[in-house]
Amino acid sequence: MKEKYRSVGLNYDLIADQYPDLNEYEEIVNAYLEDEFFHEIEGMLKEEDYAMAKDAVKGLYILAGELHLYPLYESLLELYEDLE
């Protein structure tokens, strides 16, 4: 299990400390990754609705941080900074 998390750039120990039930954690992450904003950001950018895209990305990067999905967090933060 540790190697699975490390292979995608996640800190297993940090996650396990905060989320002792890793099956529940993975369910939460899967639900998060299915968030409609991930699918809608491209459309927002095409429509030049940068304010809405910025709000969506901000919410997504906050949740990524809380879930310790740091590679995704960093990518979303870069996108947010670009929108800023």
Side-chain angles (χ1 to χ4, degrees):
M1 185 70 94
K2 284 185 179 186
E3 188 54 38
K4 172 183 160 182
Y5 282 57
R6 287 190 179 125
S7 70
V8 293
L10 302 179
N11 184 324
Y12 173 86
D13 296 323
L14 183 63
I15 293 168
D17 284 345
Q18 187 169 350
Y19 299 94
D21 184 346
L22 292 177
N23 290 323
E24 180 181 19
Y25 171 77
E26 289 186 15
E27 287 178 22
I28 293 167
V29 169
N30 287 332
Y32 164 72
L33 293 174
E34 293 175 6
D35 189 295
E36 63 188 41
F37 282 128
F38 280 115
H39 304 287
E40 294 176 359
I41 290 172
E42 183 178 1
M44 292 174 197
L45 295 174
K46 284 181 181 177
E47 295 173 14
E48 297 181 8
D49 189 352
Y50 300 120
M52 186 65 174
K54 189 170 116 177
D55 288 344
V57 170
K58 183 176 183 180
L60 292 171
Y61 86 69
I62 289 170
L63 287 172
E66 290 175 4
L67 293 170
H68 307 294
L69 301 172
Y70 295 121
L72 179 58
Y73 170 85
E74 291 171 1
S75 295
L76 289 166
L77 190 56
E78 287 178 17
L79 179 56
Y80 181 82
E81 290 171 352
D82 289 344
L83 291 167
E84 189 75 358

